[in-house]
Amino acid sequence: MSRPKVLRTGWRVRSHAPLGLLGVLLALAAMEGVSRADILPHRWFPSATQTIRALVTEAGTAELWNAIADTVEGAALGLGIAALIGIPLGILIGLSDPLYRLTRALVEFLRPVPSVALIPLAVLLYGTELRSKLLLVVYAATWPLLVNVVYGVRDTDPVAIDTARAYRLGRLARIRHVTVPSTLPYLMTGVRLSASVSLILAVTAELVIGAPGLGQIIVQAQAANAVPLTYALIVVSGLLGLALNVLTRGVERYALRWHTSQRAGSRP
């Protein structure tokens, strides 16, 4: 009975790729038409063909790939450090009711503080070094991980915990076999959110502070009045974000391959 549903769902998932490509082509056509018709000032809004030409030209330079490597390095290191902080701390807070009540107000106070507010401090401490970028990325990326892990731990089914106790599993065994699997979907959501935040803050730091990376060469292209190149580099940032999203979703599907949310037919 379930086979037709799986087949229909699988076809629908596969059909998303052509539709997504069609959407991109329509957007490029609209960009080309608006520019050629001079609906928007051609000087500041280049056509799609100009942007693609600039992108292809820039792709043959080492400067672009070095900038991408710098951006990816900052985002990846920041995400790794945020995971080392947020995941253990989230588990610890989630397991302890007194600690959860003690830290809840503090977390809710610090979490909304924008990382860009720390830019003066980052520049004062580290100048335009990689550490400035990491300070902003780690601060922003830690909160989604921390909050999701805390709520994942606290949302563990108490019946499952009582059952584990009935089988005389120790505390560490209950955490390993009950709490961690229950928290994993929340954790993977936190990873996806933090990965996006890491990339955004890495590029932001490069734009504002002048740290090496895509943001820095975008500013340089803008200062040189190279408008098509500026748009091309922005497109590269978007493509990098798309690749990151595909990667994190692939990791999520692998890590949660046992979970009902990843089974065939569960996603529209």
Side-chain angles (χ1 to χ4, degrees):
M1 294 296 293
S2 62
R3 184 178 298 276
K5 180 179 180 181
V6 172
L7 291 176
R8 287 197 299 270
T9 303
W11 177 87
R12 189 161 58 245
V13 170
R14 288 194 296 271
S15 70
H16 286 178
L19 288 176
L21 179 60
L22 177 61
V24 171
L25 293 176
L26 289 175
L28 291 174
M31 182 179 177
E32 185 76 21
V34 166
S35 177
R36 289 186 179 276
D38 207 25
I39 297 176
L40 295 174
H42 183 74
R43 180 182 178 185
W44 304 116
F45 296 93
S47 65
T49 52
Q50 287 178 307
T51 302
I52 293 173
R53 193 179 302 120
L55 177 59
V56 171
T57 301
E58 189 67 13
T61 65
E63 181 185 17
L64 175 62
W65 297 105
N66 290 335
I68 291 175
D70 288 333
T71 299
V72 171
E73 179 188 19
L77 283 176
L79 179 61
I81 296 171
L84 291 176
I85 297 172
I87 295 175
L89 191 58
I91 293 174
L92 184 63
I93 293 174
L95 289 173
S96 172
D97 285 337
L99 190 57
Y100 173 74
R101 291 193 294 269
L102 180 67
T103 59
R104 184 176 180 180
L106 181 62
V107 169
E108 293 302 324
F109 170 74
L110 292 175
R111 186 163 60 105
V113 175
S115 291
V116 291
L118 301 178
I119 287 178
L121 176 62
V123 174
L124 181 64
L125 292 175
Y126 306 118
T128 59
E129 297 179 11
L130 174 62
R131 288 181 292 179
S132 293
K133 189 191 306 186
L134 289 178
L135 176 62
L136 302 181
V137 172
V138 170
Y139 182 84
T142 297
W143 301 114
L145 282 167
L146 174 65
V147 172
N148 275 279
V149 170
V150 168
Y151 286 125
V153 172
R154 296 188 66 80
D155 196 45
T156 303
D157 188 355
V159 175
I161 295 176
D162 290 340
T163 302
R165 284 199 184 100
Y167 280 97
R168 297 184 178 181
L169 292 180
R171 184 173 180 81
L172 291 179
R174 292 198 303 271
I175 292 173
R176 178 184 175 184
H177 296 290
V178 179
T179 304
V180 170
S182 175
T183 306
L184 196 55
Y186 293 83
L187 170 61
M188 296 313 302
T189 299
V191 169
R192 282 197 290 110
L193 293 174
S194 292
S196 299
V197 168
S198 297
L199 179 60
I200 292 169
L201 265 297
V203 175
T204 300
E206 294 157 4
L207 284 167
V208 179
I209 298 176
L214 275 173
Q216 185 187 63
I217 63 174
I218 289 174
V219 172
Q220 291 172 353
Q222 180 187 20
N225 203 27
V227 179
L229 177 58
T230 303
Y231 277 79
L233 294 173
I234 293 172
V235 169
V236 171
S237 300
L239 292 174
L240 193 58
L242 179 62
L244 179 63
N245 183 63
V246 171
L247 176 62
T248 53
R249 285 193 176 276
V251 172
E252 180 183 20
R253 283 194 297 269
Y254 178 78
L256 298 178
R257 59 193 182 278
W258 52 271
H259 197 265
T260 54
S261 65
Q262 303 300 323
R263 292 175 185 169
S266 63
R267 291 195 174 197

